[in-house]
Amino acid sequence: QSALTQPPSASGSPGQSVTISCTGTSSDVGGYNYVSWYQQHPGKAPKLMIYEVSKRPSGVPDRFSGSKSGNTASLTVSGLQAEDEADYYCSSYTGSNNLRVFGTGTKVTVL
Amino acid sequence: QVQLVESGGGVVQPGRSLRLACAASGFTFSSYAMHWVRQAPGKGLEWVAHISYDGSNKDYADSGKGRFTISRDNSKNTLYVQMNSLRAEDTAVYYCAREIVATIGFDYWGQGTLVTVSS
């Protein structure tokens, strides 16, 4: 159950786009279309932003989009806004016994 | 509105036990699988355990297997985790989270309860 690999940090100016990668293996990210993404502001609970690789829950702005290629999933935040500054975590189903795994987390800074 | 409220955290000595609870409201609790997820201070999220909607299926991360037991009481709309033989590395904020119906992902989270394992 090794954590999925994310870059520690990413940044962009307001209005720009930032893309965060999430790399796993064929046993998790690459094997299933069950990648989800969470936003976490300091001291707060995580919030679901994307599920099933690219689906947005109601209320999540369409500036947030997800994709996957092979063993790597990606979250793109377009039109960066100050409130997007937060930690972002990916998560994947691992296919065995309902196990789940999270990514190492990426701190997004809006310059 | 959906609410998940954790309780039971605190300071506990290594080797001791603690039971956390998560009170659910605003939805039909008995229809949803539930999870515990933890976050050590300054660290990332770590999945802990899963329980099916009816309690018949339970799964654990290796870190808690044999020490943690997840359970639920659908008559009380409450999720639990019993944590035994606690270690310093179990120190974390523990969140309960609801599984999205008919798919995989955590759509609602509680505010978390802090467990500190220290002598």
Side-chain angles (χ1 to χ4, degrees):
Chain A
Q1 297 173 10
S2 298
L4 307 175
T5 301
Q6 298 180 232
S9 62
S11 63
S13 299
Q16 290 187 331
S17 295
V18 66
T19 296
I20 304 165
S21 62
C22 169
T23 301
T25 69
S26 58
S27 296
D28 39 61
V29 174
Y32 309 92
N33 288 325
Y34 288 127
V35 175
S36 49
W37 288 90
Y38 303 87
Q39 177 191 67
Q40 186 180 36
H41 288 107
K44 301 295 187 182
K47 175 186 175 183
L48 176 67
M49 305 303 285
I50 296 286
Y51 68 101
E52 287 185 16
V53 176
S54 60
K55 296 181 179 179
R56 274 188 313 276
S58 61
V60 173
D62 60 5
R63 303 185 292 104
F64 291 85
S65 61
S67 63
K68 190 184 85 167
S69 177
N71 296 337
T72 298
S74 299
L75 173 72
T76 297
V77 185
S78 305
L80 269 174
Q81 299 182 5
E83 60 261 37
D84 299 333
E85 185 162 295
D87 293 325
Y88 291 83
Y89 295 91
C90 61
S91 179
S92 177
Y93 176 66
T94 68
S96 58
N97 294 336
N98 285 297
L99 300 186
R100 314 297 164 85
V101 62
F102 282 97
T104 49
T106 299
K107 181 175 180 58
V108 169
T109 301
V110 181
L111 302 171
Chain B
Q1 69 284 20
V2 173
Q3 273 201 307
L4 298 169
V5 180
E6 300 94 338
S7 61
V11 180
V12 60
Q13 293 180 328
R16 308 285 288 210
S17 300
L18 203 63
R19 188 178 82 156
L20 306 182
C22 169
S25 60
F27 65 102
T28 304
F29 180 69
S30 59
S31 297
Y32 288 82
M34 298 293 296
H35 297 257
W36 287 99
V37 176
R38 69 183 182 182
Q39 186 170 35
K43 303 297 184 182
L45 300 172
E46 179 188 12
W47 176 78
V48 173
H50 153 273
I51 187 168
S52 59
Y53 70 99
D54 61 356
S56 62
N57 190 14
K58 305 174 185 181
D59 304 285
Y60 301 93
D62 287 345
S63 57
K65 204 170 292 184
R67 299 188 301 125
F68 292 1
T69 302
I70 190 172
S71 63
R72 65 192 298 160
D73 186 337
N74 285 344
S75 69
K76 295 182 178 179
N77 292 340
T78 304
L79 173 72
Y80 303 98
V81 62
Q82 175 70 39
M83 304 185 295
N84 298 331
S85 303
L86 283 163
R87 307 165 180 165
E89 53 265 36
D90 296 319
T91 294
V93 173
Y94 284 74
Y95 296 100
C96 62
R98 190 182 83 168
E99 182 97 86
I100 310 170
V101 68
T103 186
I104 289 175
F106 313 110
D107 61 351
Y108 284 94
W109 298 64
Q111 85 288 351
T113 188
L114 176 62
V115 173
T116 302
V117 183
S118 174
S119 54

